């Protein structure tokens, strides 16, 4: 066979093999692509399943009602795990509630008024063993947990959780089906218990834990939120001037309902500067249980009034209640005929930040809003702001003329969800743009949305 390389000069015949070796060596030194894996582990005495990628560890205990027992992001554990039940399993009971902690599914409306209310406690839905399946792992992980059919409510749950290899985003796809022979109508709720104990002194509560959501400006509730349980005058809860509902955790039992439509809640630990954002899609076409789409519960001693008017605080015959705060997302009320099902989709985004949250955007959390000023001395545009991001990648400035037409883009900074983004950047951009929007472009080049858009101060141009 005729080899064309034999007709090349000797110098070229020597260079090309060396070049090939160099290229091969460069490829060999490339870091391996991030992966996601599923593995069986022992967690606090439970037989558990761990789903992990370079950012997040999800720990499931299928036997205990299919619970997601812990979420660890950047070595920070978010969820409350009840030490009284660690490693234990107690069979379902209609008379007691065994609070293992973690994250689970619940049913609304609650109560014992009639069959259209769920009594709760540790029944078949809450406390039965769930079947765990690994659907995929590698580039992405997907697992499912399927519970038994409940003869009382007629419900059967299947929850699919997805974790990609390239970000800490956690996606939940919950399907609730009618496993009975008659129509049923329920709302399904994700209930997440966040640990509010002081990490340095667990005998006391963390004094810098906060819950946030967006209050509905046309709320059906008198104060734009509803006190379902606890004192009506609670200084820990308020609606800020910017329309954000803010709840400062204090160890006093209280349940607060919001008819929020913006599709998010956030729990922030200001002491460690870790935050979790839970997102959902509000459905305008269906009613919500008690009109609530978001519920917060602060655990602590319960303030109660007896029929004779006597007021008591807590129950002295038991140990002090543990420190945790529940963040709850509700599906709308759905009527299902036999064999029908409905899905409820939510997403979680762990990130960094403090209690000064100003807004939640598609790509991250705003702690200090974007500001842009044109520097007359050097012609550059100075941008500031503080953010927590949902995806690794770059923040990119999108520049516009005052009247809206795009002028161009400029990369600003590399970002990582494990680090707060304290933006202080000067960008050279000609043409005197009138507005700028800061976007997060992920590691795959996908635009994840804006962190804020503002008029550039001092531009003084109308174009």
């Amino acid at each position: 066979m005729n080899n064309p390389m034999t007709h090349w000069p000797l110098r070229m015949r020597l260079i090309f093999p060396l070049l090939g070796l160099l290229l091969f060596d460069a490829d060999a030194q490339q870091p391996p692509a991030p992966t996601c894996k599923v593995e069986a582990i022992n967690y606090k005495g439970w037989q558990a399943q761990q789903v992990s990628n370079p950012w997040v560890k999800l720990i499931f205990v299928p036997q205990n009602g299919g619970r997601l027992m812990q979420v660890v992001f950047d070595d920070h554990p978010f969820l409350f795990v009840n030490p009284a039940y660690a490693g234990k399993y107690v069979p379902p009971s209609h008379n007691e509630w065994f609070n293992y902690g973690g994250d689970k599914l619940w049913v609304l409306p609650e109560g014992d008024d009639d069959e259209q209310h769920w009594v709760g406690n540790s029944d078949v839905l809450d406390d039965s063993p769930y079947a765990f399946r690994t659907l995929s792992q590698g580039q992405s992980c997907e697992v499912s947990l399927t519970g038994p059919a409940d003869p009382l409510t007629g419900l059967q749950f299947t929850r699919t959780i997805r974790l990609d290899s390239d970000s800490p985003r956690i996606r939940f796809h919950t399907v609730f089906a009618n496993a009975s022979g008659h129509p049923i109508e329920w709302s399904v709720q994700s209930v997440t218990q966040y640990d509010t104990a002081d990490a340095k002194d667990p005998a006391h509560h963390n004094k810098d834990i906060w819950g946030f959501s967006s209050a509905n400006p046309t709320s059906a509730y008198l104060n734009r939120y509803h006190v379902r349980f606890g004192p009506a005058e609670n200084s820990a809860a308020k609606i800020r001037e910017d329309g954000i509902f803010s709840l400062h955790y204090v160890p006093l039992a209280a349940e607060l309902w919001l008819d929020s439509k913006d599709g998010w809640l956030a729990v922030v630990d200001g002491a460690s500067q870790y935050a979790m954002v839970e997102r959902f899609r509000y459905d305008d076409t269906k009613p919500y249980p008690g009109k609530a789409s978001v519920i917060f519960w602060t655990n602590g001693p319960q303030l109660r009034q007896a029929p004779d008017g006597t007021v008591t605080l807590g129950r002295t015959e038991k140990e002090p209640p543990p420190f945790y705060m529940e963040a709850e997302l509700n599906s709308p009320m759905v009527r299902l005929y036999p064999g029908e099902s409905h899905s409820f989709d939510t997403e979680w985004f762990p990130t960094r930040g403090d209690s000064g949250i100003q807004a939640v955007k598609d790509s991250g959390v705003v702690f200090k809003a974007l500001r842009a000023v044109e520097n007359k001395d050097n012609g550059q545009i100075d941008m500031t702001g503080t953010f927590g991001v949902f995806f690794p990648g770059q923040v990119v400035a999108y520049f516009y003329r005052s009247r809206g037409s795009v002028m161009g883009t400029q990369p600003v900074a590399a970002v990582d969800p494990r680090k707060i983004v304290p933006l202080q950047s000067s960008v050279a951009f000609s043409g005197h743009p009138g507005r700028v929007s800061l976007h997060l472009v992920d590691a795959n080049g996908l635009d994840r949305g804006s962190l804020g858009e503002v008029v550039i101060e001092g531009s003084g141009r109308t174009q």
Side-chain angles (χ1 to χ4, degrees):
M1 183 178 291
N2 210 8
N3 186 346
M5 282 189 65
T6 59
H7 300 289
W8 291 0
L10 178 62
R11 181 178 57 183
M12 296 296 293
R13 281 185 276 156
L14 290 173
I15 288 175
F16 269 83
L18 289 172
L19 182 60
L21 287 173
L22 289 171
L23 290 172
F24 177 83
D25 188 57
D27 289 341
Q29 294 179 19
Q30 290 294 317
T35 59
C36 181
K37 63 180 179 179
V38 183
E39 57 190 324
I41 66 166
N42 182 291
Y43 180 69
K44 296 185 181 293
W46 284 302
Q47 293 181 353
Q49 295 284 339
Q50 179 174 280
V51 181
S52 61
N53 69 8
W55 284 271
V56 174
K57 295 177 183 176
L58 311 178
I59 300 168
F60 298 91
V61 181
Q63 182 182 27
N64 295 50
R67 276 168 172 73
L68 171 56
M69 199 65 76
Q70 188 56 273
V71 176
V72 182
F73 167 68
D74 191 33
D75 294 328
H76 174 80
F78 279 96
L79 305 188
F80 166 74
V81 180
N82 195 339
Y85 290 103
K88 298 178 182 178
Y89 172 70
V90 185
S93 168
H94 293 297
N95 302 315
E96 294 183 76
W97 179 48
F98 310 116
N99 184 18
Y100 302 107
D103 168 82
K104 63 186 178 186
L105 298 176
W106 205 246
V107 182
L108 293 177
E110 293 178 277
D112 55 7
D113 303 23
D114 52 36
E115 288 186 343
Q116 282 69 53
H117 289 76
W118 186 54
V119 177
N121 291 320
S122 292
D123 70 350
V124 171
L125 291 174
D126 182 65
D127 201 23
S128 291
Y130 277 48
F132 180 90
R133 290 179 59 207
T134 299
L135 304 179
S136 68
Q137 57 181 317
Q139 193 63 29
S140 67
C141 282
E142 199 166 46
V143 299
S144 70
L145 295 116
T146 302
D150 175 31
L152 291 179
T153 61
L155 286 167
Q156 184 175 25
F157 293 152
T158 298
R159 202 179 196 192
T160 303
I161 300 92
R162 175 168 176 158
L163 183 66
D164 293 330
S165 60
D166 57 0
S167 83
R169 176 174 60 163
I170 309 159
R171 287 181 273 183
F172 299 86
H173 178 68
T174 298
V175 175
F176 49 105
N178 184 348
S180 77
H182 59 85
I184 59 175
E185 187 172 16
W186 296 106
S187 165
V188 170
Q189 178 187 63
S190 70
V191 179
T192 312
Q193 295 185 343
Y194 288 91
D195 192 349
T196 56
D198 188 327
K200 297 179 180 178
D201 182 7
H204 295 86
H205 71 283
N206 183 336
K207 297 177 177 60
D208 203 3
I209 294 279
W210 299 79
F212 300 96
S213 190
S214 177
N216 185 347
T218 59
S219 175
Y221 302 136
L222 179 62
N223 297 315
R224 296 173 68 185
Y225 67 93
H226 170 60
V227 180
R228 178 79 170 6
F229 184 87
E233 293 186 6
N234 186 345
S235 61
K238 67 178 180 180
I239 305 293
R240 301 188 327 206
E241 290 184 1
D242 59 2
I244 298 293
F245 171 81
S246 168
L247 176 63
H248 185 198
Y249 175 78
V250 293
L252 177 67
E255 185 171 292
L256 307 164
W257 289 20
L258 293 97
D259 53 350
S260 178
K261 294 186 177 183
D262 285 354
W264 65 269
L265 67 78
V267 175
V268 179
D269 181 350
S272 63
Q273 296 194 318
Y274 283 92
M276 180 71 82
V277 174
E278 300 186 23
R279 303 206 68 144
F280 66 99
R281 299 176 186 176
Y282 186 84
D283 188 344
D284 284 297
T285 67
K286 294 182 175 66
Y288 280 75
K291 299 184 174 62
S293 58
V294 171
I295 297 175
F296 287 100
W297 165 270
T298 55
N299 202 53
Q302 298 184 4
L303 186 66
R304 292 184 179 274
Q305 187 174 31
D308 64 357
T310 304
V311 175
T312 59
L313 180 64
R315 292 170 292 177
T316 56
E317 74 275 10
K318 291 196 173 186
E319 293 289 325
F323 298 121
Y324 65 83
M325 178 167 68
E326 288 184 356
E328 305 168 4
L329 297 179
N330 300 339
S331 83
M333 295 290 296
V334 180
R335 185 170 177 82
L336 299 173
Y337 287 86
E340 289 185 341
S341 62
H342 186 79
S343 62
F344 179 44
D345 294 315
T346 58
E347 294 181 302
W348 291 7
F349 296 93
T351 186
R352 301 298 302 274
D354 57 33
S355 55
I357 186 170
Q358 292 191 17
V360 171
K361 302 289 188 178
D362 292 329
S363 55
V365 184
V366 179
F367 296 98
K368 183 179 178 181
L370 174 66
R371 186 184 178 199
V373 179
E374 183 175 342
N375 190 322
K376 300 295 186 181
D377 295 333
N378 56 22
Q380 293 187 329
I381 298 168
D382 300 330
M383 291 183 289
T384 59
T386 305
F387 311 95
V389 296
F390 295 155
F391 300 90
Q394 280 193 327
V395 286
V396 177
Y398 285 52
F399 291 101
Y400 299 89
R401 293 181 174 86
S402 297
R403 294 180 181 177
S405 57
V406 65
M407 296 180 68
T409 64
Q410 181 76 35
V412 176
V415 294
D416 187 308
R418 294 168 291 197
K419 298 178 181 178
I420 295 174
V421 182
L423 183 67
Q424 285 188 318
S425 180
S426 296
V427 176
F429 197 90
S430 61
H432 302 285
R435 292 186 294 113
V436 62
S437 179
L438 199 65
H439 283 238
L440 171 57
V441 178
D442 72 15
N444 298 314
L446 185 63
D447 187 343
R448 293 293 182 173
S450 173
L451 288 165
E453 181 178 359
V454 294
V455 171
I456 299 173
E457 300 173 32
S459 61
R461 301 297 178 107
T462 57
Q463 302 178 52

